Amino acid sequence: MAKSQNIKSLDAIIVGAGFAGIYMLHKLRKLGLLAKIVDAASGVGGTWFWNRYPGARCDVESMFYSYSFDEDLEQEWEWTERYPAQPEILKYINHVTDRFNLRNDIELETSVKSTVYDENNSKWIITTSGDINFSARFCIMATGCLSAANIPDFQGLKNFKGRVFHTGKWPHKNVNFSNRRVGVIGTGSSGVQIIPEIAKQAAHLTIFQRTASYVAEAFNRPLDESEQAKTKKNYSEIRAAAKKTFGGFTNVANDQSAMDLSLEACREKLEEGWQAGGNSLMVAFNDIADNENSNMRAQDFVRDKIRQAVPDLELANKLSPEHLIGCKRLCLGTNYYETYNRDNVTLISLGKEGVEGLNADGVIVQGSIFEIDDLVMATGFDAMTGALSKIPIYGKNNVSLNDSWAAGPRTYLGLMTYGFPNLFIVTGPGSPSVLTNMLPTIEQHVEWIAECIEYMDEHNIRVIEPYLKSQDDWVKHGNEIASKTLRYSCSSWYLGANVPGKPRVFMPFIGGMPAYREKCSAVVAMGYEGFKLSKNTE
Ligand code: NA7
């Protein structure tokens, strides 16, 4: 329990100093609320604070992986590359923190030990690792979707005598791999980015691959001033148009089925998409993500690209995925497949069962030992619920969030969950979040929450909580849409399939950004339909 002599009373506590928490603090301050952020890290940045591995880079274009809430900010900031590298993103978020004078309300190196709802006073009591605990009317979880590292329980890991890293918890000091034999487990987005970088340095790099990934060439490049100026001139129009697309991205899908064209004409369009870089391949047609035959055409196209990049046919085949493209998140890379042509790189295909374990000298696969000096786990995250599940959160009747979500997360709009009044989640499960460009998505959530709090204060409302029925209906609606999509059929982190024992539930809302935004606005227009609002006197 909280140390009563050290409880600071606030209007709102925000957990997490990433893009969501920083903007939330700014918005609440504007409303005149007393609010603070707590974060376990020693700096702001959230996911981008921790994921500082070599090659870490965002797979959304920098000019649109940025805040839009302040025109001066968006006009003054200069990006240097098409896709921003982690240090540049961190510099940007630090700049925003200082520009809006937010730092004095951010408690760093302070982790939340528990968050307990005091029903008598309608307040959240937040116990921290620091000297001060907090009580606040509102608790806002800005804990991120990809922030809890997934560290598999490899047998014998503790016996391994070399250095061990996880991409999502990378050390702050420079890690030198020169003259080292390095092993990387994991070939998702993080593995795809770090593998070419380590290969350039290490004496030898062995990659342990459980599932091959589809990797589109990013075609990253420097951004010159004139290109930025052109975008900045039309920033609001471009951003507004992006919000009308499924994922909130700037590249609009070609409104044509891949099956409407001859194979040759289809391939020409796919090539155009490939050359445009990034996820343009996925929007070369409007049905790659939905129609199995169209998907197969895109799969074949990428498998041919792999064969062109890797002349050794056996190796190319090992690198060629067999699952649906886009079912797991499409990776963006730079010379990823070509890296396997190097003499100092070896690919080990694991069976479905994965790595057998480790001993003092290295990684064991089907009885063979691969000796390494350093192990890099690029094994991803306990996505969407992992960061929340690590904090003991107790709501009404002392029910924990983990118990409440034992069969999978349940929310109304991804914003709130039944039994946990005045507790908001930014980009929670049940919202489009990770299927979209996170920045406009975060902004929409933060603005919805701030508007809601303002409405409550104006109408003398003390407590907001979703009705169980509205939550059940929302979860059912999300599941109905998801179950009809191709994405539902893959063992992806969207479904929690990467974490042993995690319930298999498609966590993000897959109905698209426009439908979701419309629903959120309609709920507000109807006086917060689906939420129970209790007045101060009740
Ligand atoms: P991902 O995409 O979840 O990738 C993790 C990788 O690690 C993937 O190749 C996994 O294989 C592999 N993995 C996970 N556990 C194991 C075990 N136990 N044994 C062997 N291999 C394993 O995480 P990332 O960090 O790359 O990217 C996450 C998101 O961050 C990304 O989608 C972007 O949005 C940014 P699997 O595919 O499960 O067979």
Side-chain angles (χ1 to χ4, degrees):
M1 242 345 240
K3 295 163 256 173
S4 57
Q5 68 273 27
N6 278 329
I7 292 192
K8 185 172 172 53
S9 179
L10 301 170
D11 296 312
I13 187 96
I14 301 161
V15 186
F19 276 101
I22 292 291
Y23 183 35
M24 194 76 248
L25 177 60
H26 176 61
K27 281 300 272 186
L28 294 183
R29 271 212 193 151
K30 286 226 153 196
L31 290 179
L33 265 61
L34 197 57
K36 271 198 190 289
I37 296 180
V38 286
D39 196 304
S42 61
V44 300
T47 293
W48 296 106
F49 176 88
W50 297 107
N51 282 269
R52 48 181 72 220
Y53 58 86
R57 190 178 287 284
C58 184
D59 58 9
V60 178
E61 296 197 24
S62 56
M63 294 209 70
F64 299 98
Y65 195 79
S66 57
Y67 291 118
S68 68
F69 69 83
D70 187 278
E71 213 183 312
D72 291 339
L73 168 69
E74 68 177 6
Q75 288 297 324
E76 78 196 10
W77 183 262
E78 299 280 328
W79 293 101
T80 64
E81 289 179 278
R82 181 181 183 191
Y83 294 100
Q86 176 269 341
E88 190 165 20
I89 302 173
L90 204 56
K91 202 169 146 201
Y92 172 73
I93 193 157
N94 272 285
H95 168 77
V96 174
T97 305
D98 291 330
R99 194 185 192 288
F100 296 99
N101 197 23
L102 300 171
R103 226 171 265 279
N104 56 350
D105 276 326
I106 305 174
E107 302 291 330
L108 295 170
E109 296 182 80
T110 306
S111 48
V112 176
K113 293 285 175 208
S114 68
T115 307
V116 180
Y117 188 59
D118 170 358
E119 267 183 87
N120 294 329
N121 297 302
S122 314
K123 284 201 166 180
W124 285 94
I125 308 294
I126 295 96
T127 312
T128 75
S129 61
D131 295 334
I132 310 171
N133 298 314
F134 299 96
S135 86
R137 194 171 143 217
F138 298 103
C139 181
I140 299 157
M141 292 295 175
T143 39
C145 297
L146 296 163
S147 45
N150 171 38
I151 301 183
D153 188 16
F154 293 123
Q155 212 185 357
L157 178 60
K158 63 177 186 316
N159 301 330
F160 175 60
K161 64 177 193 278
R163 299 184 296 180
V164 178
F165 305 96
H166 188 283
T167 47
K169 286 178 140 189
W170 202 258
H172 283 228
K173 59 180 195 317
N174 185 32
V175 179
N176 190 351
F177 291 112
S178 304
N179 304 316
R180 314 272 301 175
R181 295 163 305 169
V182 184
V184 173
I185 301 179
T187 50
S189 295
S190 304
V192 161
Q193 291 183 336
I194 201 171
I195 285 165
E197 296 304 315
I198 298 180
K200 286 181 212 160
Q201 243 191 40
H204 197 88
L205 172 62
T206 307
I207 295 120
F208 300 92
Q209 170 190 276
R210 188 164 69 181
T211 310
S213 285
Y214 290 102
V215 183
E217 190 63 32
F219 293 109
N220 186 34
R221 56 180 163 73
L223 270 186
D224 66 31
E225 233 176 83
S226 66
E227 190 178 352
Q228 291 198 58
K230 211 167 130 200
T231 301
K232 284 179 180 177
K233 221 170 145 198
N234 301 303
Y235 234 150
S236 55
E237 290 83 356
I238 303 171
R239 290 199 200 262
K243 281 179 191 161
K244 293 192 178 128
T245 69
F246 181 91
F249 296 107
T250 46
N251 44 8
V252 177
N254 167 23
D255 200 15
Q256 207 176 15
S257 163
M259 300 312 292
D260 283 350
L261 301 182
S262 67
L263 188 56
E264 200 188 341
C266 171
R267 285 192 156 242
E268 273 172 30
K269 274 262 168 257
L270 289 168
E271 183 64 34
E272 272 175 37
W274 178 271
Q275 292 301 333
N279 79 336
S280 302
L281 179 73
M282 287 304 289
V283 293
F285 293 100
N286 63 10
D287 61 351
I288 294 177
D290 305 316
N291 175 322
E292 246 172 289
N293 293 325
S294 299
N295 192 285
M296 182 60 84
R297 284 189 163 188
Q299 288 175 43
D300 287 341
F301 176 83
V302 179
R303 284 191 282 261
D304 282 352
K305 287 282 180 199
I306 299 171
R307 279 190 283 272
Q308 284 160 26
V310 181
D312 176 337
L313 193 57
E314 199 186 328
L315 184 55
N317 286 341
K318 278 197 211 170
L319 286 165
S320 295
E322 283 161 14
H323 54 271
L324 296 161
I325 187 167
C327 203
K328 294 182 176 211
R329 190 171 166 119
L330 181 74
C331 302
L332 301 198
T334 299
N335 292 327
Y336 173 69
Y337 294 121
E338 288 80 356
T339 299
Y340 290 87
N341 297 329
R342 297 175 65 112
D343 291 338
N344 69 334
V345 172
T346 306
L347 175 67
I348 303 298
S349 276
L350 307 167
K352 267 203 182 109
E353 52 291 344
V355 163
E356 204 173 301
L358 282 100
N359 68 8
D361 301 316
V363 177
I364 310 166
V365 179
Q366 287 158 12
S368 306
I369 297 166
F370 294 86
E371 290 188 7
I372 53 171
D373 303 309
D374 297 323
L375 174 68
V376 174
M377 288 187 269
T379 44
F381 302 91
D382 182 352
M384 306 205 67
T385 55
L388 289 169
S389 72
K390 285 189 169 45
I391 304 170
I393 303 172
Y394 289 89
K396 283 196 321 199
N397 304 317
N398 218 25
V399 173
S400 78
L401 186 69
N402 284 338
D403 283 346
S404 190
W405 288 7
R410 300 187 76 78
T411 69
Y412 182 37
L413 304 173
L415 281 159
M416 295 196 89
T417 181
Y418 172 75
F420 297 80
N422 286 8
L423 182 122
F424 294 98
I425 309 166
V426 185
T427 63
S431 75
S433 63
V434 290
L435 298 177
T436 65
N437 179 2
M438 285 302 282
L439 260 287
T441 294
I442 283 170
E443 285 189 320
Q444 186 248 344
H445 263 200
V446 167
E447 284 160 16
W448 193 99
I449 294 166
E451 198 187 326
C452 173
I453 291 175
E454 193 177 16
Y455 176 91
M456 288 171 74
D457 285 345
E458 281 169 4
H459 293 80
N460 197 28
I461 292 159
R462 176 86 193 150
V463 176
I464 181 168
E465 183 191 354
Y467 287 108
L468 184 58
K469 163 113 181 52
S470 40
Q471 176 168 292
D472 287 348
D473 289 349
W474 182 249
V475 171
K476 189 166 167 246
H477 175 58
N479 286 341
E480 272 167 10
I481 303 175
S483 61
K484 291 185 194 122
T485 66
L486 295 182
R487 278 204 178 103
Y488 203 65
S489 61
C490 271
S491 298
S492 67
W493 57 257
Y494 298 131
L495 273 157
N498 62 329
V499 177
K502 192 167 173 175
R504 289 231 179 174
V505 176
F506 197 86
M507 292 181 285
F509 175 73
I510 194 170
M513 250 338 249
Y516 178 76
R517 279 178 177 270
E518 233 170 75
K519 171 74 182 171
C520 289
S521 302
V523 162
V524 175
M526 299 293 283
Y528 291 88
E529 189 184 40
F531 289 98
K532 182 177 180 206
L533 306 174
S534 311
K535 296 246 178 196
N536 266 326
T537 48
E538 282 172 27

